[in-house]
């Protein structure tokens, strides 16, 4: 039965899955119910069903619920589908092999950048670049390049905040971020220097002509400040742009 508010069994189950995804260490039923805005009895019943279908697990010792293996199967299926940006994989891996640096793809999801695909370079840098990771848009090169090409009204909505400082180097002043957007549009790429992760810098470009119905995608190259200075990383901007153009061509209908 579906209610007018959309708070049906499916909606409740999806809320619980989202809550479990946000708490990888697991949650007790009361905490999960509270986070999903559900009665404990309803949460308990739905979690039981999710366990039956392997979307959730339950640890008898800790009495905590966590995501199940079926979620990983769905994730892999998504990554192989056109919606999962599978067309970007080969060009990204070639660029990662050529530069030795990780190549990361992301989309804007409200005020955050959602990482949807990554290709590890030969340097094997330990970065927070796993698929499904979220970061504030204004602290990442991916977010800055995607925001720069938004319609002005949407960009101003992002600039209205909140704009938290992720590191001491994060730019949080709307006027400075607005000026950065102008620069990004002029040169075609964005950069950050330890704004999202201390010791890490990155550059990013947006894909040209993203297919209709697909969230705009951007690609970035990341590097540690110890191994790669800013000018060295910027020198890869043409190669990153070529990669983005190839991905765009592959994604075209």
């Amino acid at each position: 039965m579906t209610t007018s508010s959309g708070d049906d069994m499916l909606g409740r189950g999806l809320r619980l899955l989202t809550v479990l995804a946000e708490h990888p260490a697991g949650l007790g039923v009361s905490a999960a119910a509270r986070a999903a805005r559900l009665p404990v009895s309803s949460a308990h019943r739905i979690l039981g069903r999710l366990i039956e279908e392997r979307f959730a697990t339950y640890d008898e010792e800790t009495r905590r619920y966590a995501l199940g293996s079926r979620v990983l199967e769905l994730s892999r299926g998504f990554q192989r589908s056109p919606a999962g940006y599978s067309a970007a994989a080969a060009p990204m891996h070639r660029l990662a092999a050529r530069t030795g640096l990780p190549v990361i793809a992301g989309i804007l999801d409200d005020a955050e950048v959602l990482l949807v695909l990554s290709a590890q370079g030969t340097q094997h840098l330990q970065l927070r670049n796993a698929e499904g990771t979220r970061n504030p848009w204004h602290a990442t090169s991916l977010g800055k390049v995607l925001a720069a090409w938004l319609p002005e009204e949407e960009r101003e909505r992002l600039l209205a905040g909140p704009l938290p400082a992720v590191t001491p180097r994060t730019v949080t002043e709307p006027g400075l971020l607005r000026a950065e957007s102008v620069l990004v549009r002029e040169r075609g790429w964005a950069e950050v220097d330890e704004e999202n992760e201390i010791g890490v810098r990155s550059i990013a470009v947006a894909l040209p002509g993203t297919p209709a119905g697909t969230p705009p995608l951007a690609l970035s190259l990341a590097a540690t400040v110890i191994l790669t200075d800013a000018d060295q990383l910027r020198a890869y901007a043409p190669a990153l742009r070529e990669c983005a153009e190839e991905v765009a061509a592959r994604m075209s209908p």
Side-chain angles (χ1 to χ4, degrees):
M1 177 179 178
T2 302
T3 66
S4 59
S5 65
D7 193 22
D8 57 1
M9 185 68 76
L10 175 60
R12 292 180 174 198
L14 291 174
R15 288 216 303 276
L16 279 169
L17 284 175
T18 300
V19 166
L20 294 182
E22 293 170 347
H23 297 82
L27 287 172
V29 64
S30 296
R34 186 164 53 251
R37 306 184 307 281
L38 294 174
V40 172
S41 58
S42 296
H44 188 268
R45 183 172 63 255
I46 296 169
L47 286 166
R49 182 61 176 159
L50 291 174
I51 289 171
E52 290 177 12
E53 298 294 335
R54 295 187 293 114
F55 285 104
T57 62
Y58 180 68
D59 188 316
E60 295 280 354
E61 187 172 324
T62 64
R63 297 185 178 183
R64 287 174 175 262
Y65 294 86
L67 290 180
S69 60
R70 192 74 180 275
V71 175
L72 178 59
E73 295 172 17
L74 291 180
S75 173
R76 288 175 175 168
F78 171 76
Q79 290 173 1
R80 291 192 296 267
S81 73
Y85 305 101
S86 56
M92 288 173 61
H93 281 288
R94 282 195 294 272
L95 181 60
R98 174 182 170 185
T99 63
L101 302 174
V103 185
I104 306 162
I107 60 173
L108 265 182
D109 186 18
D110 197 12
E112 295 179 311
V113 170
L114 173 63
L115 306 187
V116 298
L117 198 64
S118 64
Q120 286 298 327
T122 56
Q123 293 186 12
H124 299 293
L125 308 181
Q126 297 300 309
L127 307 176
R128 298 196 302 264
N129 63 353
E131 288 88 348
T133 300
R134 291 176 176 271
N135 294 298
W137 75 271
H138 64 288
T140 68
S141 58
L142 287 168
K144 289 186 179 186
V145 78
L146 288 167
W149 297 106
L150 286 176
E152 183 177 0
E153 182 178 339
E154 294 182 37
R155 188 167 56 253
E156 287 299 317
R157 179 181 61 81
L158 290 177
L159 289 169
L163 301 168
V166 182
T167 77
R169 301 197 61 168
T170 308
V171 178
T172 60
E173 169 56 46
L176 294 177
L177 290 167
R178 191 176 289 111
E180 272 194 76
S181 288
V182 173
L183 179 59
V184 169
R185 290 193 295 275
E186 289 176 350
R187 69 185 178 190
W189 52 272
E191 66 179 340
V192 297
D193 204 335
E194 301 187 272
E195 292 184 46
N196 187 57
E197 192 170 353
I198 293 297
V200 177
R201 55 169 52 103
S202 69
I203 59 172
V205 301
L207 262 66
T210 303
T214 303
L217 185 72
L219 305 180
S220 75
L221 274 172
T224 64
V225 298
I226 296 175
L227 297 177
T228 308
D229 67 33
D231 287 337
Q232 287 176 311
L233 186 58
R234 291 165 185 158
Y236 287 129
L240 183 59
R241 186 176 296 112
E242 289 174 8
C243 181
E245 291 171 352
E246 181 180 355
V247 172
R250 285 168 168 257
M251 291 177 63
S252 297

